[in-house]
Structures are given as C-alpha cells and as structure tokens.
Amino acid sequence: MSNKDTYAVKKSFIKEVVRHKAVYMILLIPLAYYILFKYVPIWNSQIAFRDYMALDGVTGSKWIGLDNFKAFFNSFYFWELLRNTLMYSFGKIIFSLPLSIVLAVAIYECRRAKLRKVVQTLTYLPHFLSWVIMYGILLSLLAPGDGIVNDLIKMCGGTPIDFLTNTKAFPWIVIFSDAWKEMGWSAIIFIAALMGIDMSLFEAAMVEGASAWQRVRYITLPSIAPVIVTVLLLKIGTILDAGFNQIFMLYSPAVYSVGDIIDTWVYRQGLLEFQFGLATAVGLFKGVIGMLLIFFANRLTRKVSNSSLF
C-alpha cells in the first residue's frame, strides 16, 4: 500500500470516528475500565517472582525467581487443595449446566405465560442474594438442632445430621446450593438462544407428527449447541475458581479436608499471613492453567462438533 493510500485510509477512519463520536465516547468507559483494572495490574504480577515487602514497593523488593511457585507446589496441602478445587469446579459444571439447559427448555416450551414468568422470576431471584444470606437460609434448613430438614428426619425416626460439618455431606451441599443459586440466571443465556430459533422448523416438525420430545431432541438442542459449547468453554477457563465466596461462608475447620480450595488457602496464607508474593504466584498459576485449558478445550470441541469459541 502506497503512502497516498495509507493517508486516505487514515483520513477515512478519522471521518468515521468524528461521525460516530458519541458511540466512541461510550466505548471509552469500558475501555478505561479494562485498561485500569485488567491491563495495568499485569505490571504488578511480577510480585509472584519477588519477596514482596510493602515498604520497598514492587521493584524494590528482592527478586527470588520461582521460589513462591515452589513453595506452593511443595506445600503439604497442594494435592488436597487441587483435588478439592477440581472436584467442586467439575461438579458444578456437571450438575449446574444440564439443569440450566433443562430449565431453559422447560420455560421456553411452557405455553402458560403467567406460569412461565413466575417460574423464571423465582428461579433467577437467588442469583441476586449474597452468599451471606444464602448461608442463613441453608443454616435454617440444615441446622442439626432445629433445621427443617433435620426436623423431617426426626419425624421419620432418624438421627439428625450436622450437614455443614459432615465431610461426606458438605461437598454435595456446596454443589447443589450453587446449582440452586445460579441455575435460573444461567438459563437466561439459553432462553435467549432459544428465542432465535426459526419457528418454521417447529411448525414443519409438528406437521410431520413429531412429538414434543422429538422437537426438543432434533431441533431445540442442536440449535443451541453453539451456545452450550461457548458457555462450557468459558466455564472450563475458570476451572480453578471453585467459588471463594461460597466456600468461605460455608466451610469450617471440621471440613477443611474436603472444603479447603486454592482460593481459601491463598486467603489465609496471602492476606492473613501477609505472603503477598505467594498469593500472586498462585493467582498467576491459575490464570496460565485457565488459558491453556481454554485453548485445549476449544481445539477439542472444534474437532468433535465443528463449533468453537474462536
């Protein structure tokens, strides 16, 4: 491209920016957010390779290389933390994602408008409740003394169970309480995808005598498959984020063996013990693993289903 052509392209671009300046001004807000809170902090990620001291600053702290990473990998609790984190992350995907899809299809197929609105509102309402409130609700349901569930168990002649301090019950409570809280909100994405399906496909299927289940199986689910793949890939990218807020509110020392995850351990070691370098190293480790998982899962799904994120 000659200098004259380059100048013409630049001039045309400037004219387009001036013409749509209002749109570009609105774009500056999210752009500024990502620059300030996402890209600028990348500079401070070097704390992971330093013996960080707040008074010395980032660049003034001693460079120690991979010592923080070694301290994390050689920790007595490393494999236990990794196991618990992956258990909760995969458990939430395995249960929450299918339930969200089923709920979305059920709401979409419902022909009673009032019932559909009521169900959708009730199912996505828990998303707006903090885990502090959810903990209070779970405590009133599962408390060993006067919890509703234990009252029912005692009525049936059983022995009360302290669910929140029981190592066998605690993982299931975490997984299903997350599904309860987020299922309705996640379903909104799939409902939006369902709204984009061509209605003529359903009409043709009904003319051919297809049942409701056959329409769901051969039209609804294949039509939203790309959205399902995209959501799955995004969840895989955050596979090491098992839900700090939830675990922090629900767990106790009695269930550390099955409840402690990477984020809660980092909270105790990094913030309570002031090991900021170690906390940053673990965060960097999680980010790299998440990025690699997204690339791997994206390539795998592209080969299997011809649908991918990028």
Side-chain angles (χ1 to χ4, degrees):
M1 184 180 292
S2 64
N3 292 335
K4 187 176 180 179
D5 293 336
T6 303
Y7 175 77
V9 171
K10 290 182 178 179
K11 188 175 180 180
S12 176
F13 174 73
I14 293 172
K15 285 183 178 179
E16 285 296 318
V17 172
V18 172
R19 183 183 302 174
H20 303 287
K21 59 183 178 181
V23 177
Y24 285 98
M25 289 178 67
I26 295 175
L27 183 63
L28 287 176
I29 298 174
L31 187 63
Y33 167 80
Y34 277 98
I35 292 174
L36 290 175
F37 297 104
K38 300 296 182 180
Y39 290 100
V40 172
I42 292 177
W43 165 258
N44 293 328
S45 63
Q46 61 181 294
I47 293 175
F49 306 96
R50 296 180 182 272
D51 183 14
Y52 179 73
M53 297 295 176
L55 296 178
D56 296 332
V58 177
T59 56
S61 299
K62 180 182 177 182
W63 183 273
I64 58 173
L66 299 176
D67 287 357
N68 286 322
F69 293 91
K70 292 177 181 177
F72 175 58
F73 296 144
N74 294 329
S75 169
F76 176 77
Y77 301 101
F78 172 73
W79 291 109
E80 183 178 279
L81 294 169
L82 187 61
R83 181 202 66 193
N84 293 342
T85 302
L86 293 176
M87 174 181 67
Y88 289 123
S89 296
F90 280 111
K92 290 177 181 180
I93 292 176
I94 291 171
F95 286 96
S96 296
L97 187 61
L99 287 174
S100 300
I101 296 170
V102 170
L103 177 62
V105 173
I107 292 174
Y108 178 74
E109 292 290 336
C110 181
R111 294 295 173 259
R112 296 185 179 182
K114 290 184 178 180
L115 178 61
R116 183 169 62 245
K117 291 178 181 179
V118 169
V119 171
Q120 188 171 359
T121 301
L122 291 177
T123 52
Y124 76 63
L125 186 61
H127 169 79
F128 299 98
L129 301 178
S130 69
W131 275 110
V132 177
I133 298 174
M134 293 296 293
Y135 172 73
I137 296 173
L138 290 172
L139 193 62
S140 66
L141 292 172
L142 305 173
D146 56 356
I148 297 174
V149 175
N150 275 308
D151 284 344
L152 293 174
I153 292 176
K154 287 186 287 185
M155 287 176 60
C156 297
T159 304
I161 302 172
D162 191 353
F163 292 96
L164 294 177
T165 58
N166 187 302
T167 54
K168 293 183 179 179
F170 185 81
W172 295 106
I173 293 170
V174 171
I175 293 171
F176 284 109
S177 62
D178 178 81
W180 171 34
K181 187 175 186 295
E182 301 296 337
M183 179 175 62
W185 183 256
S186 300
I188 294 176
I189 300 173
F190 301 115
I191 293 173
L194 290 169
M195 293 298 181
I197 301 176
D198 189 355
M199 293 301 297
S200 63
L201 296 175
F202 294 105
E203 294 170 358
M206 293 175 66
V207 171
E208 294 295 330
S211 64
W213 166 243
Q214 289 174 327
R215 294 196 299 272
V216 170
R217 181 180 179 184
Y218 296 108
I219 299 177
T220 303
L221 293 180
S223 297
I224 64 172
V227 178
I228 296 174
V229 169
T230 301
V231 172
L232 179 61
L233 288 176
L234 293 176
K235 287 183 177 293
I236 289 176
T238 57
I239 202 71
L240 294 182
D241 291 327
F244 170 78
N245 292 332
Q246 179 192 17
I247 301 294
F248 185 73
M249 287 305 307
L250 297 181
Y251 84 151
S252 62
V255 291
Y256 272 0
S257 60
V258 296
D260 207 14
I261 59 174
I262 292 175
D263 287 340
T264 54
W265 183 82
V266 167
Y267 167 77
R268 296 197 304 274
Q269 298 296 318
L271 297 181
L272 300 185
E273 300 294 334
F274 300 104
Q275 299 184 43
F276 299 110
L278 177 61
T280 307
V282 176
L284 194 60
F285 164 75
K286 288 172 55 182
V288 172
I289 295 299
M291 182 183 66
L292 293 176
L293 284 174
I294 284 182
F295 279 106
F296 172 76
N298 186 75
R299 188 171 182 179
L300 182 62
T301 52
R302 186 189 300 168
K303 289 183 177 181
V304 173
S305 64
N306 294 323
S307 179
S308 62
L309 187 61
F310 50 86

